[in-house]
Amino acid sequence: MAAMYRYLFFTALFLLTVSALQAQQHFLDLSGTWRFALDKTDRGIKDQWFNQRLADDVKLPGSLIEQNIGDDITLETQWTGSIYDSSFYYHPRLEKFRQTGNIKLPFWLSPLKHYVGPAWYQRDFQLSASDLKQHLNLFLEQPHTETAVWVNGHLVGAQNSMVVAHQFKLADVVKAGKNTLTIRVDNRIKEINVGPDSHSLTDHTQGNWNGITGRIGIEKRSKVHLEDIQIYPDIHQKTAAIRLNVQTTRPRKLRIRYIAEAFNSNNQHTTAVHTELLHVTNQADTVNLTMTLGEDMLLWDEFNPNLYRTTFRLYDGEELLDERKVTFGMREFKAVGHYFYVNGRKTFLRGTCDNAVFPLTGYPNMDVESWLKIFRKIKSYGLNHVRYHSWCPPEAAFQAADIVGMYLQPEGPSWANHGSSLGQGHPIDQYIYAETNRMAQQYGNYASFCMMAYGNEPRGNQIPYLTTFVNYWKAKDSRRLYTGASVGGSWPVIPNNEFMVRAGARGVEWDRRPESERDFSAKIAQFDVPFVAHELGQHCVFPNFEEIKKYTGAYRAKNFELFQEDLNDHHMGDQANTFLHASGKLQALAYKHEMERAFRTPNYSGFQLLSLNDYPGQGTALVGLLDAFWDDKGYIDAAEFRKACDTTVLLMRTAKFVYDNSENIRFSVDVAHYGQDALKKPTLIWRLLNDERKKYKEGKLTVDSVSLGLNENIGVIDIPLDGIEDAREMKLEIRLLGSQISNDWDFYIFPKTLPALSGEIYYTTSLNDTVRQVLEQGGKVFLNLAGQITQGKEIAQHFRPVFWNTSWFKMRPPHTLGITLDETHVAFASFPTQNHSTMQWWDILHQTQVMHLEDFPTTFRPLVQPIDTWFLNRRLGLIFEAKVGKGKIMVTSADLSDSTNNLVRKNLYHSLVNYMTSSSFQPEQEIGLELIGGLTHNNSKLTFEAYTEANPDELKPDLKEMLQQ
């Protein structure tokens, strides 16, 4: 079967390639070396550069920055994108990164060069006399962003689109022989302001590049030809309505023949040949046709992405005038009540945001193979959906998504915030309509084009504008679903949305003890259409500095270089990989629990991660389980991720993950199933395993069926824990018999009653004279400084990791990325743990102070080390041991004691004290007592200072403005 799918996949790719090659036979390719000039003073039009021979050379397709053309990066570079944290420009610690020749920006990736303004591109081309008898169309697949075209000194026209190719008719300005083509490309934001943070052009993501990418050339076609063809599937009638536009020079009678053939399925299907006579009366006449698919019709979806290629041939008598091939899929993407239905099958959208991150070029991939690689990676992680945050991908992406079976939500190229707005009479209002119409015309036949929004989080008079926008598209094109905008939870609700993409119903809620019982029901109760979580996740991980060497193209990871050098300056460079993997494990745990909470919510329709891969802008947001190149980072793989994100997810509801051995683990089982069919008489096997993966208890559940959707409470299990005497990490595993589907969760079991501790340890909560005396006499001290820390009091530690990043949100807590420790250390001999944050650590870490060890020796390492935000790289401690004079000390900022009622804290305290009373307690690091004392009365030297009043809360709409609407 796998071999068959590979065969079908390569067959589909081959046919796409053949189609492209056939098109090239009527295409004058203009790629190669062009003459060019930068127009920094914007004098080119006035000085008629289109009548001059430009002096320099450049390669097209391509951008200027990837060819190292433009201005050097300086502190005065005028970027396209908001900067909220200006501390980089002022903080003395970062002064060395502001020096000429060593500028390293923390905000985003650094281009080799920078240029925003007009640039002129020019080349000559040859036409024959017979060419002049044809329809000639200049095709520029992806300019960025505004173009003006001259041929032989004559202005052909100007266009501004960030979503489709720019095309110009050349009939009246060309001649036989040599012609000179001059194109002015301007990437400035001018009258049309989509918003400088829009992913279509911002430096936060792909960058505001200047150039032309993709196919560049002149299409040669008959004067009478098929201009636009749109296909509207009807899976219930097993037909497809066709609307085509015929370009002609005069009224005439023509004949059209068309046939559709499935080309990527192991089920062959070809329609009958349809022939129609056309009475074309206008120069641009639209004709409506119908194509019958019949009983053998093949449907397109994520499981079976069956595609048809329709061949249209236009005849005048027996003369073939034009031939067009159009790919489409027979599918229906609908919203019924709270759920999406694809071809009548209930569907849950498991999505990611594509934020236009292209670290080698800065512009989107224009070839199908590159997009196939991306979609295959996305699908390997159990996802079936991609949202394009404030941009629209090129045609190659739709072609690849059709082949793979991926549901896409492209958007208009706008984030109308931060200097832009909607519904206030600005040029952007009409531009959004123009761009989305161009998207629907160019990409509307692709089965993967299932959803559309204006763009991201606007401001302005947005409710009436977006309400009208949604009504317009609902009436115009029923092939997809529409929502006004993808927004955060505080944005106003657009009442006629066909589905909601909103925040508000997301998060792990680890401000309280972790559990797996709650869901998001209350937060979506107001909506009666499908709800898709906006930008779910955003859990950060420490930078992977090994990634730096991958940046060999138009961009350099100067932000990573800065963070790495700063980590070295704080004497922790050797811990970078440890920080990455420990924080990565916590990140993966947070994603798992947040996604599972979504799956166990009735009437929840999907989520869009932000995102599966890293976002290198907005202060460097390392929220991805994959890096900017879509590569794994080494701490979780696709198989592990799919346990909590796939067509079928096994779920478990329980009140907590930490138990004492007098309790029972009680859990119920849910199944979120969105596969091809219901499961008939499935059997679920559950096992509770100890830390050696040996079985403690097991059982099975068999039910009559598991229907499509959320199947709640299919069984309840009670597991007594009285057979466990010592503290244990246990793993509950549930798997679907006869499949690869499984899921698991870690539980922590501690003895309820602990033996008495040795009296040789002096326990104290203050650094007093007795402490000094005990240490001078060679004794052992346990010093609990919980609640007394001043050196580090500004650092907020929660169990969950940093959200998005601390730079963009100006040190919004939490500030840490979990902890790291040596799990094999004797200090944890009776406290089961891994080398990173796991569930039992919530009781210890949540809102617990950390110690800022900036004054300690540079080689000093604590037993438990919180991982700081990479913007500050402070050396932190939660628990450390040391020699002080003749004695030995254990210091903690967590509230650990033998008298606490907290099961976890008490067990950790016992483990530490048992270690202290053993011969293994031989701290290698020696410090003075004054350093420890400083933690309670010194303030941190290194602190965060924003140096600006700008606030990321500006990302939210103005409440007064909303009330006035």
Side-chain angles (χ1 to χ4, degrees):
M1 184 62 70
M4 174 62 74
Y5 282 127
R6 285 195 297 272
Y7 167 76
L8 293 173
F9 162 75
F10 285 113
T11 299
L13 182 59
F14 170 75
L15 289 173
L16 283 174
T17 304
V18 169
S19 178
L21 290 173
Q22 290 172 341
Q24 291 287 3
Q25 295 173 5
H26 306 284
F27 187 78
L28 176 59
D29 189 359
L30 296 180
S31 62
T33 300
W34 288 55
R35 302 185 294 276
F36 99 103
L38 297 182
D39 191 0
K40 294 184 178 182
T41 58
D42 200 7
R43 295 186 55 86
I45 296 177
K46 181 179 180 181
D47 293 345
Q48 298 188 14
W49 287 11
F50 46 83
N51 280 324
Q52 302 176 25
R53 183 179 178 86
L54 304 182
D56 296 320
D57 289 338
V58 71
K59 295 285 187 181
L60 290 181
S63 73
L64 295 181
I65 59 171
E66 67 178 328
Q67 297 173 71
N68 208 27
I69 298 171
D71 300 318
D72 291 335
I73 307 303
T74 71
L75 296 181
E76 288 72 43
T77 297
Q78 297 299 301
W79 298 102
T80 304
S82 304
I83 298 175
Y84 280 115
D85 176 10
S86 58
S87 60
F88 167 77
Y89 293 99
Y90 302 105
H91 204 295
R93 164 175 142 264
L94 303 176
E95 183 176 359
K96 64 179 178 177
F97 303 115
R98 301 192 292 266
Q99 301 305 308
T100 301
N102 190 47
I103 292 177
K104 295 180 179 179
L105 300 171
F107 316 120
W108 43 59
L109 301 174
S110 294
L112 297 177
K113 297 285 186 178
H114 179 270
Y115 182 73
V116 174
W120 293 70
Y121 304 84
Q122 186 181 75
R123 68 161 293 163
D124 302 325
F125 62 94
Q126 296 283 332
L127 292 177
S128 67
S130 62
D131 288 335
L132 301 185
K133 297 178 183 179
Q134 296 183 289
H135 173 82
L136 302 177
N137 181 61
L138 176 63
F139 185 91
L140 310 174
E141 186 170 5
Q142 185 77 74
H144 199 273
T145 52
E146 179 188 80
T147 58
V149 172
W150 290 261
V151 175
N152 300 326
H154 300 286
L155 178 63
V156 177
Q159 294 184 24
N160 187 340
S161 175
M162 291 186 279
V163 300
V164 299
H166 295 200
Q167 302 186 56
F168 300 85
K169 296 179 180 179
L170 303 181
D172 298 331
V173 294
V174 292
K175 60 187 179 182
K178 176 184 173 183
N179 294 268
T180 299
L181 169 64
T182 306
I183 305 173
R184 178 182 182 269
V185 179
D186 191 348
N187 60 332
R188 292 176 294 179
I189 296 178
K190 298 190 291 186
E191 294 82 6
I192 299 172
N193 182 4
V194 298
D197 292 327
S198 303
H199 294 183
S200 54
L201 83 171
T202 185
D203 289 305
H204 288 294
T205 57
Q206 63 175 292
N208 190 8
W209 52 278
N210 188 303
I212 307 171
T213 63
R215 285 202 312 147
I216 304 171
I218 298 173
E219 296 174 328
K220 304 175 184 180
R221 302 175 66 188
S222 168
K223 291 282 189 180
V224 182
H225 62 272
L226 300 168
E227 184 70 13
D228 178 43
I229 302 173
Q230 299 294 323
I231 300 178
Y232 301 84
D234 185 335
I235 67 170
H236 303 288
Q237 299 299 320
K238 297 181 174 59
T239 61
I242 301 169
R243 190 188 69 209
L244 57 83
N245 176 262
V246 182
Q247 292 285 321
T248 182
T249 55
R250 58 177 174 81
R252 64 179 72 204
K253 294 181 180 180
L254 302 171
R255 181 165 53 92
I256 190 165
R257 299 178 75 247
Y258 52 101
I259 182 173
E261 180 180 8
F263 66 90
N264 69 328
S265 172
N266 55 354
N267 295 316
Q268 296 182 355
H269 182 228
T270 303
T271 68
V273 177
H274 298 71
T275 301
E276 298 284 348
L277 294 177
L278 309 180
H279 298 273
V280 182
T281 58
N282 300 316
Q283 288 188 345
D285 224 353
T286 298
V287 178
N288 294 308
L289 306 171
T290 300
M291 179 165 55
T292 301
L293 279 296
E295 295 300 321
D296 295 330
M297 174 188 71
L298 302 176
L299 297 176
W300 180 96
D301 62 15
E302 64 185 284
F303 305 106
N304 297 291
N306 301 306
L307 295 170
Y308 286 92
R309 175 169 287 108
T310 306
T311 301
F312 295 88
R313 291 187 174 96
L314 185 67
Y315 294 89
D316 186 353
E318 296 302 317
E319 179 187 1
L320 177 63
L321 299 177
D322 192 21
E323 179 177 297
R324 290 281 304 279
K325 295 182 183 294
V326 179
T327 299
F328 75 101
M330 292 296 294
R331 68 107 175 103
E332 179 186 68
F333 194 92
K334 291 291 185 182
V336 181
H338 292 97
Y339 285 97
F340 296 104
Y341 287 81
V342 179
N343 304 332
R345 180 192 292 119
K346 185 182 288 187
T347 299
F348 191 100
L349 294 184
R350 309 176 303 278
T352 183
C353 281
D354 186 318
N355 297 298
V357 178
F358 302 97
L360 292 181
T361 59
Y363 56 78
N365 302 312
M366 305 303 291
D367 63 294
V368 174
E369 183 59 45
S370 294
W371 285 101
L372 287 170
K373 180 180 179 182
I374 290 172
F375 289 132
R376 287 197 297 265
K377 174 68 79 166
I378 291 172
K379 206 158 191 179
S380 75
Y381 275 74
L383 303 177
N384 62 1
H385 167 52
V386 183
R387 172 204 167 200
Y388 293 88
H389 181 310
S390 60
W391 75 291
C392 178
E395 190 156 21
F398 292 94
Q399 293 172 332
D402 270 15
I403 292 172
V404 172
M406 191 70 63
Y407 309 128
L408 303 187
Q409 181 191 315
E411 297 182 345
S414 178
W415 184 353
N417 213 319
H418 309 129
S420 185
S421 60
L422 295 180
Q424 296 180 320
H426 303 309
I428 187 179
D429 288 349
Q430 289 305 312
Y431 186 70
I432 292 299
Y433 278 89
E435 287 285 74
T436 51
N437 269 285
R438 286 187 276 257
M439 290 161 56
Q441 179 180 349
Q442 185 69 31
Y443 311 130
N445 293 321
Y446 290 106
S448 53
F449 189 176
C450 297
M451 309 158 76
M452 187 169 73
Y454 117 85
N456 191 67
E457 298 173 341
R459 66 183 180 95
N461 200 20
Q462 54 190 289
I463 294 179
Y465 178 88
L466 293 176
T467 300
T468 302
F469 174 84
V470 171
N471 281 336
Y472 171 85
W473 277 109
K474 286 164 69 174
K476 181 168 184 174
D477 194 337
S478 62
R479 289 178 291 183
R480 64 196 66 87
L481 297 177
Y482 302 97
T483 194
S486 301
V487 298
S490 61
W491 263 256
V493 174
I494 307 305
N496 60 339
N497 280 348
E498 293 187 288
F499 64 99
M500 299 289 173
V501 178
R502 297 184 63 83
R506 68 184 191 196
V508 287
E509 285 197 354
W510 283 344
D511 284 339
R512 65 180 84 183
R513 184 170 284 105
E515 45 70 47
S516 64
E517 291 184 319
R518 292 191 299 274
D519 59 35
F520 296 116
S521 294
K523 297 185 177 183
I524 64 171
Q526 62 177 306
F527 304 114
D528 56 6
V529 297
F531 181 95
V532 180
H534 175 253
E535 301 178 357
L536 181 142
Q538 304 184 57
H539 308 297
C540 280
V541 66
F542 200 78
N544 179 14
F545 298 130
E546 291 298 313
E547 188 181 323
I548 294 173
K549 61 189 177 185
K550 295 183 180 181
Y551 291 86
T552 58
Y555 286 83
R556 296 293 180 268
K558 298 288 187 181
N559 47 353
F560 279 54
E561 293 176 18
L562 184 157
F563 304 141
Q564 183 180 41
E565 189 170 342
D566 189 63
L567 185 70
N568 290 332
D569 291 344
H570 289 90
H571 314 293
M572 294 180 290
D574 61 319
Q575 293 186 283
N577 196 55
T578 298
F579 290 170
L580 166 67
H581 285 270
S583 63
K585 289 294 187 181
L586 176 60
Q587 178 199 45
L589 185 67
Y591 273 106
K592 170 184 171 65
H593 280 261
E594 187 167 3
M595 292 187 300
E596 288 178 353
R597 188 178 180 194
F599 277 115
R600 66 175 179 263
T601 302
N603 296 328
Y604 206 89
S605 311
F607 55 76
Q608 296 165 347
L609 303 177
L610 188 63
S611 64
L612 184 61
N613 63 326
D614 280 337
Y615 185 105
Q618 292 185 8
T620 309
L622 305 178
V623 297
L625 296 156
L626 308 178
D627 65 21
F629 299 83
W630 297 93
D631 293 331
D632 299 351
K633 297 181 182 179
Y635 50 81
I636 185 173
D637 60 17
E640 184 67 24
F641 186 81
R642 282 200 310 273
K643 292 178 180 179
C645 180
D646 209 343
T647 53
T648 304
V649 178
L650 308 181
L651 301 166
M652 173 273 306
R653 295 180 188 252
T654 192
K656 56 185 179 178
F657 292 91
V658 175
Y659 289 81
D660 71 54
N661 58 357
S662 70
E663 297 180 283
N664 290 7
I665 293 181
R666 181 181 176 87
F667 64 92
S668 62
V669 177
D670 295 350
V671 180
H673 177 57
Y674 298 92
Q676 295 190 67
D677 301 293
L679 302 176
K680 302 300 183 182
K681 291 193 177 298
T683 297
L684 299 179
I685 305 297
W686 63 265
R687 300 188 301 169
L688 186 62
L689 308 172
N690 64 18
D691 48 6
E692 297 174 346
R693 300 291 292 172
K694 293 181 179 179
K695 177 183 64 181
Y696 174 73
K697 296 285 185 181
E698 69 175 349
K700 65 180 180 179
L701 292 170
T702 301
V703 294
D704 288 337
S705 69
V706 169
S707 60
L708 296 181
L710 175 61
N711 298 261
E712 299 183 81
N713 197 24
I714 66 171
V716 178
I717 310 298
D718 261 307
I719 306 176
L721 300 173
D722 51 6
I724 299 174
E725 297 180 357
D726 301 323
R728 292 280 182 175
E729 179 185 78
M730 311 284 283
K731 186 177 291 294
L732 175 64
E733 178 187 89
I734 306 176
R735 60 185 176 89
L736 178 63
L737 189 64
S739 76
Q740 299 297 313
I741 298 169
S742 69
N743 205 352
D744 55 65
W745 302 264
D746 291 334
F747 284 80
Y748 292 85
I749 318 302
F750 294 99
K752 183 176 182 179
T753 303
L754 293 168
L757 293 169
S758 167
E760 67 176 280
I761 307 299
Y762 176 64
Y763 179 90
T764 181
T765 58
S766 63
L767 197 57
N768 51 38
D769 290 340
T770 305
V771 170
R772 294 181 176 84
Q773 183 179 357
V774 170
L775 292 172
E776 288 173 357
Q777 294 175 355
K780 303 174 183 178
V781 174
F782 190 103
L783 177 58
N784 179 354
L785 295 179
Q788 303 177 57
I789 301 300
T790 59
Q791 196 166 9
K793 64 182 179 182
E794 69 284 354
I795 303 168
Q797 175 179 245
H798 295 188
F799 181 69
R800 66 181 188 273
V802 166
F803 172 87
W804 195 236
N805 68 68
T806 54
S807 173
W808 181 254
F809 284 96
K810 306 183 81 169
M811 296 306 287
R812 166 182 171 176
H815 304 149
T816 58
L817 297 154
I819 58 171
T820 185
L821 66 150
D822 177 4
E823 77 278 20
T824 66
H825 196 287
V826 182
F828 308 108
S830 58
F831 185 83
T833 183
Q834 300 179 44
N835 64 355
H836 52 84
S837 300
T838 44
M839 282 303 188
Q840 85 282 22
W841 281 99
W842 184 93
D843 289 85
I844 297 164
L845 300 178
H846 180 60
Q847 295 186 339
T848 295
Q849 286 189 315
V850 302
M851 298 174 282
H852 190 179
L853 307 180
E854 59 186 338
D855 294 329
F856 281 53
T858 59
T859 58
F860 191 88
R861 295 288 183 266
L863 286 175
V864 179
Q865 183 173 4
I867 303 167
D868 192 27
T869 168
W870 58 91
F871 292 95
L872 291 173
N873 289 315
R874 294 163 292 197
R875 195 151 42 101
L876 308 179
L878 186 78
I879 303 171
F880 67 81
E881 62 178 354
K883 291 187 291 186
V884 180
K886 298 179 182 179
K888 306 168 189 175
I889 194 168
M890 183 77 70
V891 182
T892 176
S893 56
D895 189 10
L896 307 179
S897 72
D898 194 31
S899 59
T900 179
N901 291 324
N902 184 286
L903 180 71
V904 179
R905 294 185 180 211
K906 186 169 187 174
N907 271 268
L908 177 57
Y909 175 74
H910 271 247
S911 186
L912 293 173
V913 170
N914 287 334
Y915 161 62
M916 293 176 69
T917 58
S918 73
S919 59
S920 299
F921 185 42
Q922 301 292 336
E924 297 180 358
Q925 304 169 109
E926 185 169 0
I927 59 173
L929 206 56
E930 69 281 356
L931 283 179
I932 300 175
L935 295 171
T936 62
H937 60 259
N938 292 340
N939 291 318
S940 295
K941 302 180 182 69
L942 173 58
T943 58
F944 173 78
E945 174 57 57
Y947 296 95
T948 180
E949 295 181 0
N951 193 294
D953 287 340
E954 291 174 13
L955 292 171
K956 299 178 181 179
D958 185 275
L959 294 178
K960 292 182 180 178
E961 180 182 75
M962 289 165 52
L963 293 174
Q964 292 170 357
Q965 294 173 3

